[in-house]
Amino acid sequence: MVFQKGFVKDMDLSNRKREILKIVVEQFVLTTEPVGSKAVSEELGSAISSATIRNEMAELESMGLLEQPHTSAGRVPSAQGYRMYVDELMHHYKLSSDDTNEIDKALISRANAQTQLIDEAGYVASRLTRYPAYAMTSTTGIVSIARLDFIYVDTYTFIIVALLSNDTVKNKLVHLTTTINQAILIKLGTVFNASFTGIPEEQITTALITSTERALGDTTGIVAVIAGFIIELLCEAKAGQARVAGAMNLLNHPEYRDFDKASRLIQYLSDADDKELFKLPSPSTSGEIKITIGPENLAQELQDSSVLAIRYNVGDDMEGLIGIIGPTRMEYSKVAARLTYIAQGLSLLLSGSEIPKIAKLGVDDIGHE
């Protein structure tokens, strides 16, 4: 499992400070309560006095790595503290056989059809991590129109059927204000299949559309309608699709007991269209986990949340991405391990591998304690 790291500038921590920061993060994740010097002392043993620990925690706070929510309370990690923990301090989580069996079972149950599995990857990730999840697919190659057919319905209506180079089929019912007949549709099919197939969206220019209108003697705008549909299809295919699943899982976490805070984020996830979802964090390479914490996220609604995302191979010039969204107080190592295993399982299933091969990945391929 490879992490795409952020960085904390100009931080030169002693080993003791690093260990204290690690303890504070892990204790806060476990208990949801601010961590005091006594709890840190119990983890470190009696070799370091409570006074020394308090001084070290105060220095970590002055560095911006810890925060004190209330006077006389313990400390909690800041977003910068979580970043240092994720980049430098946490151990990789080792999935148990129960973990892998649960994930395998969930993936197999969704593996009836490739398109269904891609669409429901977010559902699987949300269910297995207990956080909201988003899933995306996008093309890594050039998508073009392979064939166009025009089906006559009546004198004012016809259907465009488009076969794309990625083997997907799309159609559109077109209503006209002028009449049309079978002969016109045959001519449209001949010209469009000669001029608009096998080329990327960028080559469908105004000049091409104008020359097609002249060739067909079109003064009704029908060529523009068909060309517009083709451009729309190719843009959508290039951008891919995005889905959100399990937004209501946020309510299971104490950070979102504040109704206003929870509702803002749930509404953002529920209302986000594909364009907005494609702005969410995305790792640059397949198999790499990208973690963005709090203010590192661009969307205002995610400023108090963390996002973990990973890419995986779908095949046929397609790539998938799954990510989860949750509070900054998160078991990053465990969530990252589960997300990595889910992505590896999806890659195997979508490549046509038998499900027993997922188990052969082995727990040790996911991480170590």
Side-chain angles (χ1 to χ4, degrees):
M1 178 168 55
V2 179
F3 292 100
Q4 190 175 73
K5 294 185 176 183
F7 59 92
V8 179
K9 295 188 292 186
D10 302 326
M11 289 290 177
D12 185 16
L13 298 185
S14 66
N15 289 337
R16 185 161 64 194
K17 283 187 175 66
R18 294 165 69 89
E19 184 63 23
I20 289 172
L21 176 60
K22 181 174 181 292
I23 290 170
V24 172
V25 171
E26 293 176 352
Q27 286 293 310
F28 181 62
V29 167
L30 184 66
T31 67
T32 75
E33 298 291 336
V35 181
S37 58
K38 181 178 179 181
V40 175
S41 179
E42 289 172 355
E43 289 292 320
L44 288 174
S46 57
I48 305 173
S49 68
S50 293
T52 300
I53 293 171
R54 283 194 295 272
N55 289 335
E56 295 279 37
M57 292 175 73
E59 289 186 28
L60 287 168
E61 183 180 355
S62 69
M63 294 176 178
L65 299 173
L66 295 180
E67 296 174 348
Q68 192 170 28
H70 308 290
T71 306
S72 301
R75 267 82 169 185
V76 300
S78 65
Q80 196 174 19
Y82 280 122
R83 169 51 61 199
M84 175 161 281
Y85 173 79
V86 166
D87 286 352
E88 300 184 24
L89 304 178
M90 78 176 184
H91 292 297
H92 289 183
Y93 181 82
K94 185 176 181 180
L95 292 177
S96 68
S97 59
D98 287 343
D99 287 326
T100 57
N101 287 338
E102 181 186 11
I103 296 171
D104 288 349
K105 184 177 179 181
L107 290 173
I108 293 170
S109 70
R110 300 279 164 175
N112 295 328
Q114 184 186 59
T115 54
Q116 179 183 0
L117 185 59
I118 294 172
D119 286 345
E120 297 191 357
Y123 171 86
V124 172
S126 177
R127 173 186 162 193
L128 295 173
T129 63
R130 282 75 174 177
Y131 292 106
Y134 61 101
M136 302 178 182
T137 56
S138 60
T139 180
T140 57
I142 297 174
V143 179
S144 62
I145 299 294
R147 176 177 169 174
L148 288 162
D149 289 300
F150 302 98
I151 302 172
Y152 178 82
V153 177
D154 59 41
T155 53
Y156 291 96
T157 313
F158 72 99
I159 299 172
I160 309 171
V161 180
L163 172 64
L164 278 67
S165 59
N166 61 7
D167 292 331
T168 59
V169 178
K170 300 289 185 178
N171 61 75
K172 179 182 178 68
L173 182 65
V174 180
H175 297 284
L176 302 173
T177 57
T178 58
T179 60
I180 195 168
N181 56 44
Q182 290 276 20
I184 293 174
L185 289 181
I186 292 171
K187 193 173 183 181
L188 283 169
T190 300
V191 173
F192 269 91
N193 277 296
S195 303
F196 285 76
T197 56
I199 60 174
E201 176 266 331
E202 293 83 359
Q203 292 184 25
I204 302 177
T205 61
T206 302
L208 175 60
I209 296 170
T210 300
S211 66
T212 304
E213 288 174 332
R214 285 198 300 267
L216 290 166
D218 174 42
T219 59
T220 64
I222 191 171
V223 167
V225 169
I226 298 170
F229 176 60
I230 293 171
I231 292 171
E232 180 183 343
L233 288 184
L234 296 180
C235 287
E236 287 179 356
K238 184 166 60 175
Q241 295 179 323
R243 299 284 187 273
V244 172
M248 299 304 290
N249 282 345
L250 287 171
L251 300 179
N252 297 326
H253 303 280
E255 288 84 353
Y256 300 102
R257 287 173 185 161
D258 181 320
F259 176 78
D260 289 338
K261 180 179 179 180
S263 63
R264 283 195 300 272
L265 184 50
I266 290 172
Q267 184 173 355
Y268 168 76
L269 295 176
S270 300
D271 294 346
D273 57 16
D274 285 4
K275 184 176 180 181
E276 186 66 27
L277 291 174
F278 270 90
K279 295 178 184 178
L280 289 171
S282 173
S284 55
T285 58
S286 182
E288 184 178 69
I289 286 275
K290 180 179 178 67
I291 302 175
T292 53
I293 300 169
E296 296 172 0
N297 290 294
L298 297 179
Q300 185 63 38
E301 294 85 352
L302 298 175
Q303 295 288 295
D304 295 322
S305 303
S306 286
V307 180
L308 285 75
I310 187 170
R311 290 184 180 275
Y312 62 94
N313 293 321
V314 175
D316 296 326
D317 291 327
M318 294 289 289
E319 190 172 52
L321 180 144
I322 48 175
I324 67 94
I325 298 166
T328 54
R329 182 197 60 84
M330 180 188 298
E331 289 184 90
Y332 290 97
S333 185
K334 182 176 182 179
V335 173
R338 280 181 162 257
L339 207 56
T340 299
Y341 192 82
I342 292 168
Q344 290 174 333
L346 286 167
S347 288
L348 285 173
L349 286 171
L350 293 169
S351 68
S353 296
E354 296 294 327
I355 196 67
K357 291 185 180 180
I358 292 181
K360 292 179 182 178
L361 288 170
V363 172
D364 289 336
D365 292 333
I366 305 301
H368 60 277
E369 293 179 314

